[in-house]
Amino acid sequence: MFKKVSILVVALMVCALSLSGANTASAAAAWPKEKPFTMLIPFATGGGTDFNARLVAKIMSDILGVRVNCINRTGGQGVVGHTAIAKGTPDGYTIGDIECELNMMHWAGLTDLTYKDLTPIALIVSMGGSVIVNEKSPYKNMKDLVAAIKKNPGKLKASGSSQGGMWHLCTAGMLQAEGLKASDVVWVPNDGAAPSLQDLAAGGLDFVVCTPNEADPLVTAKKVRPLAVVSKTRHIDWPNIPTLKEATGSDWLLDSWSGIAAPAGISDEMKKNLGDAIKKVWETKEFQDTMKKAGKNLQFLGPDEFKEFLKQMDENYGKVMKSVGIAK
């Protein structure tokens, strides 16, 4: 009798496990359900982040046949929105747009949140900087510029952002990768790329670091000239301009990137589902054409590769923010 009961118990356990596996497979097959997605956006309506997120949401809705509701959660220089994404319900129906500020906020002492507190899903845009000189500059390439800085420490002037801004950090890291100090170039604080480029064209600066699309109008007008792009790949609109690595051998990167993430604790199954969905969005002609028209440099990385990318960016931001004295 005992033997028969034992056999029955084992059989029931095997059956239960089989049903559990079937239910998991069924759940995967049923995704997405007749349930709307939520796309959290950590910056205000009308900005670049909002543009990226709403385009992804629109095309994702078209592909999956399920509504994607966009919600802007602003505040704290991105802290509020990124935190909301990290703490969302990890069921595969809450996602959000994450930005390079995620790599800066914790180093600046604004939050304890890091990329480790979210589930990276996909990198969709990676906009590195570019090194721009006056059209009449004696520096014909990056090696010329680096040699001049080494020969005349503290003499050359550069700009592209405020003190401690994105392009100041990019420049400082670029110099450190060449064995130089951030102070070996005089940084002239400016309210963004536009006034910096005007100063460069007028002869008041030796070089500017900014995005290619910000510099392109003056490049086209032959007022300024790009020496290199600080990114993994050449820019789509400047195929003949080398990357920093091609120009100098330096691996330094500090991208202004944009991607999609899910809350912490999401299952591997749902992570894969979302990664596949965002890849389909990224590959559409609508996404490619719209982003390129907006001057975005497109790059796709899936969940695991995106996580490694975030790790590298986080380390680079931390290192350079410490070097210029703005890390807490």
Side-chain angles (χ1 to χ4, degrees):
M1 180 67 180
F2 177 76
K3 183 176 182 181
K4 289 181 179 179
V5 171
S6 298
I7 292 172
L8 179 60
V9 170
V10 171
L12 287 171
M13 289 175 65
V14 170
C15 182
L17 288 171
S18 298
L19 287 172
S20 174
N23 288 337
T24 300
S26 175
W31 186 93
K33 302 174 184 177
E34 294 286 335
K35 175 181 177 179
F37 288 85
T38 297
M39 170 73 81
L40 296 171
I41 308 170
F43 294 101
T45 303
T49 301
D50 188 68
F51 175 88
N52 296 343
R54 289 180 185 273
L55 180 62
V56 170
K58 187 268 180 190
I59 300 174
M60 184 174 173
S61 179
D62 293 343
I63 290 174
L64 298 181
V66 179
R67 189 169 75 253
V68 181
N69 297 322
C70 292
I71 301 175
N72 296 79
R73 295 291 302 275
T74 62
Q77 300 179 49
V79 172
V80 171
H82 285 93
T83 301
I85 298 167
K87 295 186 175 181
T89 304
D91 61 356
Y93 291 88
T94 297
I95 56 176
D97 184 291
I98 60 175
E99 300 285 325
C100 61
E101 283 80 4
L102 179 64
N103 290 139
M104 303 172 70
M105 298 184 299
H106 69 102
W107 291 114
L110 299 176
T111 179
D112 292 331
L113 187 78
T114 75
Y115 72 94
K116 297 176 184 178
D117 298 308
L118 302 102
T119 303
I121 298 298
L123 176 72
I124 58 173
V125 171
S126 180
M127 184 67 77
S130 58
V131 182
I132 312 294
V133 296
N134 187 289
E135 178 65 29
K136 298 177 182 178
S137 171
Y139 314 124
K140 302 303 180 186
N141 52 53
M142 279 300 300
K143 288 185 177 178
D144 287 349
L145 179 60
V146 171
I149 296 169
K150 288 182 176 179
K151 186 176 180 180
N152 304 283
K155 300 295 184 183
L156 274 67
K157 293 185 290 183
S159 191
S161 70
S162 61
Q163 190 85 12
M166 173 73 186
W167 303 123
H168 179 216
L169 297 178
C170 184
T171 302
M174 186 172 62
L175 294 173
Q176 289 169 1
E178 296 293 339
L180 295 161
K181 301 188 295 293
S183 59
D184 285 337
V185 166
V186 177
W187 188 258
V188 180
N190 247 328
D191 188 22
S196 301
L197 288 163
Q198 291 297 333
D199 288 350
L200 180 68
L205 296 168
D206 294 289
F207 68 97
V208 161
V209 176
C210 63
T211 63
N213 60 307
E214 289 171 318
D216 197 56
L218 285 179
V219 172
T220 301
K222 297 190 182 302
K223 299 289 186 182
V224 300
R225 177 166 45 86
L227 297 184
V229 291
V230 190
S231 58
K232 279 186 176 293
T233 59
R234 295 190 179 198
H235 193 271
I236 188 170
D237 294 328
W238 295 351
N240 297 322
I241 304 303
T243 65
L244 184 65
K245 184 173 180 62
E246 290 172 331
T248 68
S250 171
D251 288 317
W252 171 252
L253 285 176
L254 199 74
D255 279 16
S256 176
W257 54 264
S258 179
I260 303 298
I266 195 169
S267 69
D268 289 342
E269 175 187 47
M270 285 302 178
K271 181 172 73 172
K272 182 181 185 305
N273 285 344
L274 287 169
D276 291 345
I278 300 302
K279 185 175 183 182
K280 288 178 182 176
V281 169
W282 190 88
E283 290 174 339
T284 62
K285 186 175 187 301
E286 180 179 1
F287 185 86
Q288 294 283 319
D289 289 351
T290 304
M291 285 296 207
K292 288 173 184 176
K293 187 175 180 180
K296 309 275 187 175
N297 202 43
L298 299 174
Q299 183 182 354
F300 183 86
L301 294 176
D304 294 337
E305 295 86 353
F306 187 25
K307 186 175 182 179
E308 285 302 310
F309 172 87
L310 291 175
K311 180 177 183 291
Q312 179 188 8
M313 287 298 104
D314 199 77
E315 291 171 353
N316 285 2
Y317 271 101
K319 181 178 179 180
V320 73
M321 287 175 71
K322 288 176 184 176
S323 75
V324 298
I326 61 173
K328 301 295 184 183

